[in-house]
Amino acid sequence: MVAEHVELALFEQSLGNIEGLNRPFCDRVADAAEKTAGSVLFDVRVDGDTWVQRMAAIGYGETGTAIIVMEKNGHLRCASINGDTALLVAELAAWNASPLSEQARLDHSGTASILLAKLRRSGHFGRL
């Protein structure tokens, strides 16, 4: 149910694009979080993936978490996640909340890649 609400907010944004210009990924994720009463947990670049370039998470407390990915073609896809990815989401959220100097020192790309791989194995964001 969480993912459906986020998808609706993202769809609404696409209708509001002026002259075909898309807003930056981080702005779209933040807007979707605000419209669905969630909070952005992380927004990271996914390096080395053939199909996905960005990934973000919106948290809804006890209700769950939605993951949004931006594909290389600019399309956004969304899915609700289950408990077996919670540790990876928490690790990326902690990295995102850390000071920039610490973010520069710590590499998040491995965690992001593992999370994306787990999501794909569970049927989300399959390769196109």
Side-chain angles (χ1 to χ4, degrees), residues 8-27:
L8 184 58
L10 294 170
F11 175 70
E12 182 181 292
Q13 289 176 1
S14 69
L15 296 176
N17 285 340
I18 299 170
E19 298 176 14
L21 298 175
N22 286 325
R23 293 173 44 212
F25 180 70
C26 61
D27 292 348

Side-chain angles (χ1 to χ4, degrees), residues 42 84-94 110-112 114-116 118:
F42 66 82
D84 70 334
T85 57
L87 185 59
L88 296 168
V89 170
E91 189 175 324
L92 288 169
T111 305
I114 292 168
L115 176 58
L116 185 57
K118 280 186 171 247

Side-chain angles (χ1 to χ4, degrees), residues 39-101:
S39 60
V40 177
L41 301 176
F42 66 82
D43 173 3
V44 297
R45 186 176 319 276
V46 179
D47 295 323
D49 191 86
T50 307
W51 289 274
V52 173
Q53 64 179 337
R54 304 275 310 223
M55 179 170 44
I58 300 175
Y60 297 93
E62 297 298 317
T63 307
T65 303
I67 298 289
I68 302 167
V69 297
M70 182 170 67
E71 298 172 342
K72 299 275 181 168
N73 62 11
H75 291 115
L76 301 182
R77 296 179 66 192
C78 183
S80 294
I81 60 168
N82 55 28
D84 70 334
T85 57
L87 185 59
L88 296 168
V89 170
E91 189 175 324
L92 288 169
W95 175 86
N96 191 69
S98 65
L100 287 177
S101 60

